[in-house]
Coordinates of all heavy atoms in Angstrom, one line a residue:
M1 N 135.2 125.2 76.0 CA 134.4 124.0 75.5 C 133.7 123.4 76.7 O 134.2 123.3 77.8 CB 135.3 123.1 74.8 CG 134.6 121.9 74.2 SD 135.8 120.9 73.3 CE 135.0 120.7 71.8
L2 N 132.5 123.0 76.5 CA 131.7 122.4 77.6 C 132.0 120.9 77.8 O 132.4 120.2 76.8 CB 130.2 122.5 77.2 CG 129.6 123.9 77.1 CD1 128.2 123.8 76.6 CD2 129.7 124.5 78.4
A3 N 131.9 120.4 79.0 CA 132.1 119.0 79.3 C 130.9 118.2 78.9 O 129.8 118.7 78.8 CB 132.3 118.9 80.8
P4 N 131.2 116.9 78.6 CA 130.0 116.1 78.2 C 129.0 115.9 79.3 O 129.4 115.9 80.5 CB 130.7 114.7 77.8 CG 132.0 114.8 78.5 CD 132.4 116.2 78.6
T5 N 127.8 115.8 79.0 CA 126.7 115.7 80.0 C 126.1 114.3 80.2 O 125.0 114.2 80.5 CB 125.6 116.7 79.6 OG1 125.1 116.3 78.3 CG2 126.1 118.1 79.6
T6 N 126.9 113.3 79.9 CA 126.4 112.0 80.1 C 126.2 111.7 81.6 O 127.0 112.1 82.4 CB 127.3 110.9 79.5 OG1 128.6 111.0 80.1 CG2 127.4 111.1 78.0
S7 N 125.1 111.0 81.9 CA 124.9 110.7 83.3 C 125.7 109.5 83.9 O 126.1 108.6 83.1 CB 123.4 110.4 83.5 OG 123.1 109.2 82.8
D8 N 126.0 109.6 85.1 CA 126.7 108.5 85.8 C 125.7 107.4 86.1 O 124.6 107.6 86.7 CB 127.3 109.1 87.1 CG 128.0 108.0 87.9 OD1 128.5 107.1 87.3 OD2 128.2 108.2 89.1
P9 N 126.0 106.2 85.7 CA 125.0 105.1 85.9 C 124.7 104.8 87.4 O 123.7 104.3 87.7 CB 125.7 103.9 85.3 CG 126.7 104.4 84.4 CD 127.1 105.7 84.9
D10 N 125.6 105.2 88.3 CA 125.4 105.0 89.7 C 124.5 106.1 90.4 O 124.1 105.9 91.5 CB 126.7 104.8 90.5 CG 127.4 103.5 90.1 OD1 126.7 102.6 89.7 OD2 128.6 103.5 90.1
G11 N 124.3 107.2 89.7 CA 123.6 108.3 90.2 C 122.3 108.5 89.7 O 121.6 109.5 90.0
T12 N 121.8 107.6 88.8 CA 120.5 107.8 88.2 C 119.4 107.3 89.1 O 119.6 106.4 90.0 CB 120.4 107.1 86.8 OG1 120.5 105.7 87.1 CG2 121.5 107.6 85.9
P13 N 118.2 107.8 88.9 CA 117.1 107.3 89.7 C 116.7 105.8 89.4 O 116.1 105.2 90.3 CB 115.9 108.2 89.3 CG 116.5 109.4 88.8 CD 117.8 109.0 88.2
A14 N 117.2 105.3 88.3 CA 116.9 103.9 88.0 C 117.5 102.9 89.0 O 117.1 101.8 89.1 CB 117.3 103.6 86.6
V15 N 118.6 103.4 89.6 CA 119.3 102.5 90.6 C 118.3 102.2 91.8 O 118.4 101.2 92.4 CB 120.6 103.2 91.1 CG1 121.2 102.4 92.2 CG2 121.5 103.4 89.9
A16 N 117.4 103.1 92.1 CA 116.5 103.0 93.3 C 115.3 102.1 93.0 O 114.5 101.8 93.9 CB 116.1 104.3 93.8
L17 N 115.1 101.7 91.7 CA 113.8 101.0 91.4 C 113.8 99.6 92.1 O 112.8 99.1 92.6 CB 113.7 100.8 89.9 CG 113.3 102.1 89.2 CD1 113.4 101.9 87.7 CD2 111.9 102.6 89.6
G18 N 114.9 98.9 92.0 CA 115.0 97.5 92.6 C 114.8 97.5 94.1 O 114.0 96.8 94.6
P19 N 115.5 98.4 94.9 CA 115.3 98.4 96.3 C 113.9 98.9 96.7 O 113.3 98.4 97.7 CB 116.4 99.3 96.8 CG 117.5 99.2 95.8 CD 116.8 99.0 94.5
T20 N 113.4 99.8 95.9 CA 112.0 100.3 96.2 C 111.0 99.2 96.0 O 110.1 99.0 96.8 CB 111.7 101.5 95.3 OG1 112.7 102.5 95.5 CG2 110.3 102.0 95.6
A21 N 111.2 98.4 94.9 CA 110.3 97.3 94.6 C 110.4 96.2 95.7 O 109.4 95.6 96.1 CB 110.7 96.6 93.3
L22 N 111.6 96.0 96.2 CA 111.8 95.0 97.3 C 111.1 95.5 98.6 O 110.5 94.7 99.3 CB 113.3 94.8 97.6 CG 113.7 93.8 98.6 CD1 113.2 92.4 98.2 CD2 115.2 93.7 98.7
A23 N 111.2 96.8 98.9 CA 110.5 97.3 100.1 C 109.0 97.1 100.0 O 108.3 96.7 100.9 CB 110.9 98.7 100.3
F24 N 108.5 97.5 98.8 CA 107.0 97.4 98.6 C 106.6 95.9 98.6 O 105.6 95.5 99.1 CB 106.6 98.0 97.3 CG 106.4 99.5 97.5 CD1 107.0 100.4 96.6 CD2 105.6 100.0 98.4 CE1 106.8 101.7 96.7 CE2 105.4 101.4 98.6 CZ 106.0 102.3 97.7
G25 N 107.5 95.0 98.1 CA 107.2 93.6 98.1 C 107.2 93.0 99.5 O 106.3 92.1 99.8
I26 N 108.1 93.5 100.3 CA 108.0 93.0 101.7 C 106.8 93.4 102.4 O 106.2 92.7 103.3 CB 109.3 93.5 102.4 CG1 110.5 92.8 101.9 CG2 109.2 93.3 103.9 CD1 111.9 93.3 102.4
I27 N 106.3 94.6 102.1 CA 105.0 95.1 102.7 C 103.8 94.3 102.1 O 102.9 93.9 102.9 CB 104.8 96.6 102.4 CG1 105.9 97.4 103.2 CG2 103.4 97.0 102.8 CD1 105.9 98.8 102.7
A28 N 103.9 93.9 100.9 CA 102.8 93.2 100.2 C 102.7 91.7 100.5 O 101.6 91.1 100.5 CB 102.8 93.5 98.7
A29 N 103.8 91.1 100.7 CA 103.8 89.6 100.7 C 103.0 89.0 101.9 O 102.4 87.9 101.7 CB 105.3 89.1 100.8
P30 N 103.0 89.6 103.1 CA 102.1 89.0 104.1 C 100.6 88.9 103.7 O 99.9 88.2 104.4 CB 102.3 89.9 105.3 CG 103.6 90.5 105.1 CD 103.8 90.7 103.6
G31 N 100.2 89.6 102.7 CA 98.8 89.6 102.3 C 98.5 88.2 101.7 O 97.3 87.9 101.5
A32 N 99.4 87.4 101.3 CA 99.2 86.1 100.8 C 99.0 85.1 101.9 O 98.6 83.9 101.6 CB 100.3 85.7 99.8
W33 N 99.4 85.4 103.1 CA 99.3 84.5 104.2 C 97.8 84.4 104.7 O 97.2 85.5 104.9 CB 100.2 85.0 105.3 CG 100.3 84.0 106.4 CD1 99.6 83.9 107.6 CD2 101.3 82.9 106.5 NE1 100.0 82.9 108.4 CE2 101.0 82.3 107.7 CE3 102.3 82.5 105.7 CZ2 101.8 81.2 108.1 CZ3 103.1 81.4 106.1 CH2 102.8 80.8 107.3
P34 N 97.2 83.3 104.8 CA 95.8 83.2 105.1 C 95.4 83.9 106.4 O 94.3 84.5 106.5 CB 95.5 81.7 105.2 CG 96.6 81.1 104.4 CD 97.8 81.9 104.5
G35 N 96.2 83.8 107.4 CA 95.9 84.5 108.7 C 96.0 86.0 108.7 O 95.4 86.7 109.5
L36 N 96.8 86.5 107.8 CA 97.0 88.0 107.7 C 96.3 88.7 106.5 O 96.5 89.9 106.4 CB 98.5 88.3 107.6 CG 99.3 87.9 108.8 CD1 100.8 88.1 108.5 CD2 98.9 88.6 110.0
V37 N 95.5 87.9 105.8 CA 95.0 88.5 104.5 C 94.0 89.7 104.8 O 94.0 90.7 104.1 CB 94.3 87.4 103.7 CG1 93.1 86.9 104.3 CG2 94.1 87.9 102.3
F38 N 93.2 89.6 105.9 CA 92.3 90.6 106.2 C 93.0 91.8 106.8 O 92.6 93.0 106.6 CB 91.1 90.1 107.0 CG 90.2 89.2 106.3 CD1 90.1 87.9 106.7 CD2 89.4 89.7 105.3 CE1 89.2 87.1 106.0 CE2 88.5 88.9 104.6 CZ 88.5 87.6 104.9
A39 N 94.0 91.6 107.6 CA 94.7 92.7 108.3 C 95.6 93.4 107.3 O 95.7 94.7 107.4 CB 95.6 92.1 109.4
M40 N 96.1 92.8 106.3 CA 97.0 93.4 105.3 C 96.2 93.8 104.0 O 96.9 94.3 103.1 CB 98.1 92.5 104.9 CG 99.0 92.1 106.1 SD 99.8 93.6 106.8 CE 100.9 94.0 105.5
L41 N 94.9 93.7 104.0 CA 94.2 93.9 102.8 C 94.4 95.3 102.2 O 94.7 95.5 101.0 CB 92.7 93.7 103.0 CG 91.8 93.8 101.8 CD1 92.2 92.7 100.8 CD2 90.3 93.7 102.2
P42 N 94.4 96.4 103.0 CA 94.5 97.7 102.3 C 95.9 97.9 101.8 O 96.1 98.6 100.8 CB 94.3 98.7 103.5 CG 93.7 97.9 104.6 CD 94.0 96.5 104.4
W43 N 96.9 97.3 102.4 CA 98.3 97.5 101.9 C 98.8 96.5 100.9 O 99.6 96.8 100.1 CB 99.3 97.5 103.1 CG 99.0 98.6 104.1 CD1 99.3 99.9 103.9 CD2 98.3 98.5 105.3 NE1 98.9 100.6 105.0 CE2 98.3 99.7 105.9 CE3 97.8 97.4 106.0 CZ2 97.7 100.0 107.1 CZ3 97.2 97.7 107.3 CH2 97.2 99.0 107.8
S44 N 98.2 95.3 100.9 CA 98.7 94.3 100.0 C 98.5 94.6 98.6 O 99.3 94.4 97.7 CB 98.1 92.9 100.4 OG 96.8 92.8 100.1
W45 N 97.3 95.1 98.2 CA 97.1 95.3 96.8 C 97.7 96.6 96.3 O 98.2 96.7 95.2 CB 95.6 95.3 96.4 CG 94.8 96.4 97.0 CD1 94.2 96.4 98.3 CD2 94.4 97.6 96.3 NE1 93.5 97.6 98.4 CE2 93.6 98.3 97.2 CE3 94.6 98.1 95.1 CZ2 93.1 99.5 96.9 CZ3 94.1 99.3 94.7 CH2 93.3 100.0 95.7
I46 N 97.8 97.6 97.2 CA 98.5 98.8 96.8 C 100.0 98.6 96.7 O 100.7 98.9 95.6 CB 98.2 100.0 97.7 CG1 96.7 100.4 97.7 CG2 99.1 101.2 97.4 CD1 96.3 101.3 98.7
A47 N 100.6 98.1 97.7 CA 102.1 97.8 97.7 C 102.4 96.7 96.7 O 103.5 96.8 96.1 CB 102.5 97.4 99.1
G48 N 101.6 95.7 96.5 CA 101.9 94.7 95.5 C 101.9 95.2 94.1 O 102.8 94.9 93.3
G49 N 100.9 96.1 93.8 CA 100.9 96.7 92.4 C 102.2 97.6 92.2 O 102.8 97.6 91.1
L50 N 102.5 98.3 93.2 CA 103.7 99.2 93.1 C 105.0 98.4 93.0 O 105.9 98.7 92.3 CB 103.8 100.2 94.3 CG 102.8 101.3 94.3 CD1 102.8 102.1 95.6 CD2 103.0 102.2 93.1
A51 N 105.0 97.3 93.8 CA 106.2 96.4 93.7 C 106.4 95.8 92.4 O 107.5 95.7 91.8 CB 106.1 95.3 94.8
V52 N 105.3 95.3 91.8 CA 105.4 94.7 90.5 C 105.8 95.8 89.4 O 106.7 95.5 88.6 CB 104.1 94.0 90.1 CG1 104.1 93.6 88.6 CG2 103.8 92.8 91.0
T53 N 105.2 96.9 89.5 CA 105.5 98.0 88.6 C 107.0 98.5 88.7 O 107.7 98.5 87.7 CB 104.6 99.2 88.8 OG1 103.2 98.7 88.6 CG2 104.9 100.3 87.8
F54 N 107.4 98.8 89.9 CA 108.8 99.2 90.1 C 109.8 98.1 89.8 O 110.9 98.3 89.3 CB 109.0 99.8 91.5 CG 108.4 101.1 91.7 CD1 107.9 101.4 93.0 CD2 108.3 102.0 90.7 CE1 107.3 102.6 93.2 CE2 107.7 103.3 91.0 CZ 107.2 103.6 92.2
G55 N 109.4 96.9 90.1 CA 110.3 95.7 89.9 C 110.5 95.5 88.4 O 111.6 95.2 88.0
L56 N 109.4 95.5 87.6 CA 109.6 95.3 86.2 C 110.4 96.4 85.6 O 111.3 96.2 84.7 CB 108.2 95.2 85.5 CG 107.5 93.9 85.9 CD1 106.1 94.0 85.2 CD2 108.2 92.7 85.4
A57 N 110.2 97.7 86.0 CA 111.1 98.8 85.5 C 112.5 98.6 86.0 O 113.4 98.9 85.2 CB 110.5 100.1 86.0
G58 N 112.7 98.1 87.2 CA 114.1 97.9 87.7 C 114.8 96.7 86.9 O 116.0 96.8 86.6
I59 N 114.0 95.7 86.6 CA 114.6 94.6 85.7 C 115.0 95.2 84.4 O 116.1 94.8 83.9 CB 113.6 93.5 85.6 CG1 113.4 92.7 86.9 CG2 114.0 92.5 84.5 CD1 112.3 91.8 87.0
H60 N 114.1 96.0 83.8 CA 114.5 96.6 82.5 C 115.8 97.4 82.6 O 116.6 97.3 81.7 CB 113.3 97.5 82.1 CG 113.6 98.3 80.9 ND1 113.7 97.8 79.6 CD2 113.9 99.7 80.8 CE1 114.0 98.8 78.7 NE2 114.1 99.9 79.4
H61 N 115.9 98.2 83.6 CA 117.1 99.1 83.7 C 118.3 98.2 84.1 O 119.4 98.6 83.7 CB 116.9 100.2 84.7 CG 116.0 101.3 84.1 ND1 116.4 102.1 83.1 CD2 114.7 101.6 84.4 CE1 115.4 102.9 82.8 NE2 114.4 102.7 83.5
A62 N 118.1 97.2 84.9 CA 119.2 96.4 85.3 C 119.8 95.6 84.1 O 121.0 95.4 84.0 CB 118.8 95.4 86.4
R63 N 118.9 95.2 83.2 CA 119.4 94.5 82.0 C 120.2 95.5 81.1 O 121.1 95.0 80.3 CB 118.3 94.0 81.2 CG 117.6 92.8 81.9 CD 116.5 92.2 81.0 NE 117.1 91.9 79.7 CZ 117.0 90.7 79.1 NH1 116.4 89.8 79.7 NH2 117.6 90.5 77.9
R64 N 120.0 96.8 81.2 CA 120.8 97.7 80.5 C 122.0 98.2 81.2 O 122.7 99.1 80.7 CB 119.9 99.0 80.2 CG 118.8 98.6 79.2 CD 117.9 99.8 79.0 NE 116.8 99.5 78.1 CZ 116.8 99.8 76.8 NH1 117.8 100.4 76.3 NH2 115.8 99.5 76.0
G65 N 122.2 97.7 82.4 CA 123.5 98.0 83.1 C 123.3 99.0 84.2 O 124.3 99.4 84.8
T66 N 122.1 99.5 84.5 CA 121.9 100.4 85.6 C 121.1 99.8 86.7 O 120.0 99.4 86.6 CB 121.1 101.7 85.1 OG1 121.8 102.2 83.9 CG2 121.0 102.7 86.1
G67 N 121.7 99.7 87.9 CA 121.1 99.1 89.0 C 121.4 97.6 89.1 O 122.1 97.0 88.3
R68 N 120.8 97.0 90.1 CA 121.0 95.5 90.4 C 119.8 94.7 90.0 O 118.7 95.2 90.2 CB 121.4 95.3 91.8 CG 122.7 96.0 92.2 CD 123.1 95.7 93.6 NE 124.3 96.4 93.9 CZ 125.4 95.8 94.2 NH1 125.5 94.5 94.2 NH2 126.5 96.5 94.5
M69 N 120.0 93.5 89.6 CA 118.9 92.7 89.2 C 118.2 92.0 90.4 O 117.0 91.9 90.4 CB 119.4 91.6 88.2 CG 118.4 90.7 87.7 SD 117.3 91.5 86.5 CE 118.2 91.5 85.1
W70 N 118.9 91.5 91.4 CA 118.3 90.7 92.4 C 117.2 91.4 93.2 O 116.2 90.8 93.5 CB 119.4 90.0 93.3 CG 120.0 90.9 94.3 CD1 121.2 91.6 94.1 CD2 119.5 91.2 95.6 NE1 121.5 92.3 95.3 CE2 120.5 92.1 96.2 CE3 118.4 90.9 96.3 CZ2 120.3 92.6 97.4 CZ3 118.3 91.4 97.6 CH2 119.2 92.2 98.2
P71 N 117.4 92.7 93.6 CA 116.3 93.3 94.4 C 115.1 93.5 93.5 O 113.9 93.5 94.0 CB 116.9 94.6 95.0 CG 118.1 94.9 94.2 CD 118.6 93.6 93.6
A72 N 115.3 93.8 92.2 CA 114.2 94.0 91.3 C 113.4 92.7 91.1 O 112.1 92.7 91.2 CB 114.6 94.6 90.0
V73 N 114.1 91.6 91.0 CA 113.4 90.3 90.8 C 112.7 89.9 92.1 O 111.5 89.4 92.1 CB 114.4 89.3 90.3 CG1 113.8 87.9 90.3 CG2 114.9 89.6 88.9
A74 N 113.4 90.0 93.2 CA 112.8 89.7 94.5 C 111.6 90.5 94.8 O 110.5 90.0 95.3 CB 113.8 89.8 95.6
G75 N 111.6 91.8 94.5 CA 110.5 92.7 94.8 C 109.3 92.4 93.9 O 108.2 92.4 94.3
T76 N 109.6 92.1 92.6 CA 108.5 91.7 91.7 C 107.8 90.4 92.2 O 106.6 90.3 92.1 CB 109.1 91.5 90.3 OG1 109.8 92.7 89.9 CG2 108.0 91.2 89.3
F77 N 108.6 89.4 92.6 CA 108.0 88.2 93.0 C 107.2 88.4 94.3 O 106.1 87.9 94.4 CB 109.1 87.2 93.3 CG 108.6 85.9 93.8 CD1 107.9 85.0 93.0 CD2 108.8 85.5 95.1 CE1 107.5 83.8 93.5 CE2 108.4 84.3 95.6 CZ 107.7 83.4 94.8
L78 N 107.7 89.1 95.3 CA 107.0 89.3 96.5 C 105.7 90.2 96.3 O 104.7 89.9 96.9 CB 107.9 90.0 97.5 CG 109.0 89.2 98.1 CD1 109.9 90.0 99.0 CD2 108.4 88.0 98.9
G79 N 105.8 91.2 95.4 CA 104.6 91.9 95.0 C 103.6 91.1 94.3 O 102.4 91.2 94.5
F80 N 104.0 90.2 93.5 CA 103.1 89.2 92.8 C 102.4 88.4 93.8 O 101.2 88.1 93.7 CB 103.8 88.4 91.8 CG 103.0 87.3 91.2 CD1 102.0 87.7 90.2 CD2 103.1 86.0 91.5 CE1 101.2 86.7 89.6 CE2 102.3 85.1 90.9 CZ 101.3 85.4 90.0
L81 N 103.1 87.9 94.9 CA 102.5 87.1 95.9 C 101.4 87.9 96.7 O 100.4 87.4 97.0 CB 103.6 86.6 96.9 CG 104.4 85.4 96.5 CD1 105.4 85.2 97.6 CD2 103.6 84.2 96.3
G82 N 101.7 89.1 97.0 CA 100.7 90.0 97.6 C 99.5 90.2 96.8 O 98.4 90.1 97.3
L83 N 99.7 90.4 95.5 CA 98.5 90.6 94.6 C 97.8 89.3 94.4 O 96.5 89.3 94.3 CB 99.0 91.1 93.2 CG 99.4 92.6 93.1 CD1 99.9 92.9 91.8 CD2 98.1 93.4 93.4
A84 N 98.5 88.2 94.4 CA 97.8 86.9 94.2 C 96.9 86.6 95.4 O 95.8 86.1 95.3 CB 98.8 85.8 94.0
G85 N 97.4 86.9 96.6 CA 96.6 86.7 97.8 C 95.3 87.6 97.8 O 94.2 87.1 98.2
F86 N 95.5 88.8 97.3 CA 94.3 89.7 97.2 C 93.3 89.2 96.2 O 92.1 89.1 96.4 CB 94.8 91.1 96.8 CG 93.7 92.0 96.5 CD1 92.9 92.5 97.5 CD2 93.4 92.5 95.2 CE1 91.9 93.4 97.3 CE2 92.4 93.3 95.0 CZ 91.6 93.8 96.0
F87 N 93.8 88.7 95.0 CA 92.9 88.2 94.0 C 92.2 86.9 94.4 O 91.1 86.6 94.0 CB 93.6 88.1 92.6 CG 93.8 89.5 92.0 CD1 95.1 89.9 91.7 CD2 92.8 90.4 91.8 CE1 95.3 91.1 91.1 CE2 93.0 91.6 91.3 CZ 94.2 92.0 90.9
V88 N 92.9 86.0 95.1 CA 92.3 84.8 95.6 C 91.2 85.1 96.6 O 90.2 84.5 96.6 CB 93.4 83.9 96.2 CG1 92.8 82.8 97.1 CG2 94.3 83.3 95.2
L89 N 91.4 86.1 97.4 CA 90.4 86.5 98.4 C 89.2 87.0 97.6 O 88.0 86.7 98.0 CB 90.9 87.6 99.3 CG 89.9 88.2 100.3 CD1 89.6 87.1 101.4 CD2 90.5 89.4 101.0
L90 N 89.4 87.8 96.6 CA 88.3 88.3 95.8 C 87.5 87.1 95.1 O 86.3 87.1 95.0 CB 88.7 89.3 94.7 CG 89.1 90.7 95.1 CD1 89.6 91.5 94.0 CD2 87.9 91.3 95.8
A91 N 88.3 86.1 94.6 CA 87.6 85.0 94.0 C 86.8 84.1 94.9 O 85.8 83.6 94.6 CB 88.7 84.1 93.3
V92 N 87.3 84.0 96.2 CA 86.6 83.2 97.2 C 85.3 83.9 97.6 O 84.3 83.2 97.7 CB 87.5 83.0 98.4 CG1 86.7 82.4 99.5 CG2 88.6 82.1 98.0
F93 N 85.3 85.2 97.7 CA 84.1 85.9 98.2 C 83.2 86.5 97.1 O 82.3 87.3 97.4 CB 84.5 87.0 99.2 CG 84.9 86.4 100.6 CD1 86.3 86.4 100.9 CD2 84.0 85.8 101.4 CE1 86.7 85.9 102.1 CE2 84.4 85.2 102.6 CZ 85.8 85.3 103.0
S94 N 83.5 86.1 95.9 CA 82.7 86.6 94.8 C 81.5 85.7 94.5 O 81.5 84.6 94.7 CB 83.5 86.8 93.6 OG 84.4 87.9 93.8

């Protein structure tokens, strides 16, 4: 008889969504700082979008019991800050 094939919640790729979002959020957040907005422009909108996307997916999976909630929420927030700085820059120069 075959063994059950249920996945281990600690070994799924969903566990990595929160820390990945946090790493991208740390890269994106300096884009909201007025002195660094032009230096971080190429990275802030790319990393910010990825942080928000991975963070929301991490929050979804953390609510289901896979992964941790705090890095997903922190990464989503930092990614949002990076995107907000980029969009404010676009609004000022439009």
Side-chain angles (χ1 to χ4, degrees):
M1 185 176 227
L2 296 174
T5 59
T6 58
S7 64
D8 180 24
D10 292 333
T12 64
V15 175
L17 289 171
T20 305
L22 184 60
F24 279 127
I26 290 171
I27 293 169
W33 190 269
L36 295 175
V37 71
F38 289 113
M40 297 299 292
L41 186 65
W43 295 286
S44 67
W45 67 277
I46 294 172
L50 288 172
V52 170
T53 303
F54 288 147
L56 291 176
I59 290 170
H60 170 73
H61 286 290
R63 289 184 56 128
R64 294 179 180 258
T66 306
R68 296 184 184 245
M69 182 69 78
W70 75 267
V73 171
T76 304
F77 178 72
L78 291 173
F80 176 74
L81 281 178
L83 282 175
F86 174 71
F87 287 124
V88 165
L89 179 70
L90 284 179
V92 167
F93 287 108
S94 293

